[in-house]
Amino acid sequence: MKPRTPLLAALALAAALTPPLARPAQLMSAPVAVATPQDSAALVARLSALDARPGLTNDYSFRISSQHPGVVGQKITRAQHTYKGLRVFGSESVVVTNAAGEILSVAASDRRPGLAPQATTPSGITPPLPADLTPRLNSDDAIRAAVQAIAPAGTHRWPPGAELLIYPLMKSARTAAAANKPEDQLNALDLEEVVDRYALAWLVQLRMAQDGRLVYYDVVIDARDGSLIAKWPALQTVTGIGNSQYNGQVPISTSATASGFQMLDSTRGSGGKFGGMAITNANHSSPNNPDPGNVYTNSGNTWGDGKQYSGGSTTDANGQTAAVNALWGLMNTYDTNKNVLGWQSLDGNNTATYIAAHVGSAYDNAFYDDSCKCMYIGDGNSFYSLGAIDVIGHEMSHGVTASTADLIYAGESGGLNESNSDIGGEMVEAYARAGGTGNSVPASGNDWMMGKEISKSGQPLRWMYKPSKDGSSPDAWSANLKNLDVHYSSGPNNRMFYFLAQGSSADPASDYHSPYLTRAPAAMSGIGTDKAYRIWFKALTTKFTSSTNYADARNKVLQAAQELYGASSKEAIAVQRAYAAINVGADIDEAGDGGGGGGGGGQATERVVNGGFEDGATGWSGSTYVIGTHSAQPAYEGTRYAWLGGNGRRSSETLTQRVDIPAAATSAQLSFALHIDTAETSNTVYDTLTVSLRAAGGAALATLATYTNLTPAAGYQLRSFDLLPFKGQSVTLSFAMREDRSKQTSFVLDKVSLLTK
């Protein structure tokens, strides 16, 4: 290996030497600035360049839909896919960029006409692309059709909206490997969602009330004939759960007024309706059209009597108890995500929200309303008051989902939406009951049951460790899962999370046993609640799309574990085992290496030869002399790596490898570990590493990323890219480094992997 300019800082070297399991927890960034139109246009241009492929015309583009913080120094942008200017429903990319605006990774669900995997008719003809994109119904017609189908006698709480879009009607298709598998032996990875046909449609959002209840639905209306294509509920609710009357005296953060105090916490969140986190008195406002009312006030700063609401005044000590419950729950929800993850409020941008107590009379419900980004709580009738700590954590977690992945509230994605809220509720409960302080989720304090405290029978609404105990929720994935109510289809993922955190039992008679765990040991090991939550939250906020299903969730949660703890870490292995325990992917041995970060017991195939460089130049072409080892730089794994750059003079070095992506692939994930160190001090790009794909003839297919001297980092960072759009092609993977005439920049590459399924 040629001489190198030593890496600069001892601090950076010490950080790089830190093994994967000792890496500090990654916190989410502070609130991000709203992108300017110029910033959005620049990102769309970079995405379009990245997405360049045969058959892609100017008909295809992107539309920036939302932005939120990633880990420190990163931003997450969600870009909807468009075709001829119309959004393709459920088709989008999740883009991670650094402080310089460079793309670090892209996760996608691609359902665009002509590009997405499509089903075929018996004649072998693929579904036709939408030809005429002119609707025969206008938006008012579509709204009338939706109202007629959902709530003909209802009234609008919020003005209805209608968006013209291309709606892919999906169907499940077996993979080639599962073509002859018996139905009862199917695993979630044996099926893939494919486009059956496309429809020009109106997506109508109805936020109505009828017969004393809220009727919130998203409705898809055919733009040609006005027929109903699909509908799903948009009100995200939970029934029952206790409140802080079960937690004794609790500290609450209020603010002073001229005449006393109010339940306005100005230390948590900013802006919003009240300028801070607030609890309001709905004062029995009808659930048909609830009015949040005014912020709770009191002459003194002692609130409530700790007893179940008796039905009298909503402002005396007994009436204040529901508000105490709500504020304590809201504070702890905020603190859990802020102190543990660095995530501020529901949207990550620290926008304040509020909870309205005493909705209705003896109202047996609590719900999150994304129209106001707030929560309403009833006093209960069959249940006790619905302001319990895990219910508030549950409902507020719907707000996090709405601000990030925005999982469609139907089918498997709807089950994952509900499961995320159950997970959030349990994490908040654990954090609050351990004192509500610290930077980790405690290992105990929650009961892994939703609704136990408020249930007058003592029976919870859901058991996370054994969902089937409620009589309706399955313990594992099956092809019928997408047909269940989302509160039941959440069950398998709840169980997955419990196993990931706490482990399982080898005893077949135990509630904590899974018959799908067939490898050693029979009782899988958990990684602890704190790590499990970090992995899950990272996957939700930086990788999930609105249409993510169980199979996709498994792959993306695994990627999150690999990025946080290492490609072959015990945490990554535990994710594979936890999903295998619910029939999503195959089981593996804990003593194994995790299948190179995604093997899944034979479910994935590694396409890169010698990606860890342990066999020297084997499999690689170009400047292979950069492969080796050096005392100034540790490897990410093993002992060798590729050190591109670090010369401190004008130079260029390139490593390439030809890889094949099968036409039948349902997943193709490229990943690599990269450490960047530089001696450059100017805020100018001098040295670059370009990662790209080239066709068999040498023509450029796509530039995946360009890294520069402006993006150094202490230690390795895992980068990942979705290469499924290039399936059926033999491509050359290229890492090309260019240095200018002075001051070195080192691009140290290791653990290159392309896993296909």
Side-chain angles (χ1 to χ4, degrees), residues 172-305:
S172 295
R174 293 190 179 207
T175 63
N180 298 315
K181 225 177 186 181
E183 187 79 16
D184 60 357
Q185 295 180 20
L186 287 177
N187 183 282
L189 301 190
D190 290 331
L191 299 180
E192 58 179 332
E193 292 291 301
V194 296
V195 179
D196 189 34
R197 67 181 179 89
Y198 292 96
L200 182 67
W202 290 97
L203 174 63
V204 180
Q205 294 184 319
L206 297 180
R207 305 298 183 257
M208 306 180 71
Q210 180 175 318
D211 300 329
R213 62 187 179 88
L214 295 174
V215 183
Y216 283 26
Y217 266 84
D218 289 343
V219 188
V220 182
I221 298 293
D222 193 299
R224 303 294 176 83
D225 59 17
S227 61
L228 176 68
I229 295 177
K231 62 183 176 73
W232 55 87
L235 188 65
Q236 299 165 347
T237 67
V238 62
T239 303
I241 290 291
N243 56 43
S244 62
Q245 68 195 55
Y246 302 107
N247 300 294
Q249 286 189 339
V250 293
I252 55 175
S253 179
T254 60
S255 56
T257 67
S259 58
F261 299 87
Q262 61 179 340
M263 282 195 172
L264 177 65
D265 181 359
S266 59
T267 68
R268 294 173 174 86
S270 61
K273 184 176 178 67
F274 298 103
M277 299 296 188
I279 308 302
T280 66
N281 183 10
N283 198 26
H284 305 309
S285 172
S286 170
N288 190 62
N289 190 20
D291 180 351
N294 298 318
V295 176
Y296 258 93
T297 61
N298 197 28
S299 58
N301 209 12
T302 300
W303 305 74
D305 64 0

Side-chain angles (χ1 to χ4, degrees), residues 659 661 670 691-695 699-704 723 726 731-734:
V659 292
I661 306 176
L670 171 69
V691 186
S692 62
L693 298 179
R694 294 188 174 275
L701 287 176
T703 296
L704 301 180
L723 300 191
F726 303 96
V731 301
T732 295
L733 176 62
S734 170

Side-chain angles (χ1 to χ4, degrees), residues 535-555:
I535 291 170
W536 174 260
F537 196 89
K538 181 177 177 69
L540 173 83
T541 57
T542 70
K543 300 185 184 300
F544 282 15
T545 68
S546 62
S547 56
T548 287
N549 61 12
Y550 267 69
D552 189 39
R554 182 259 189 198
N555 294 338

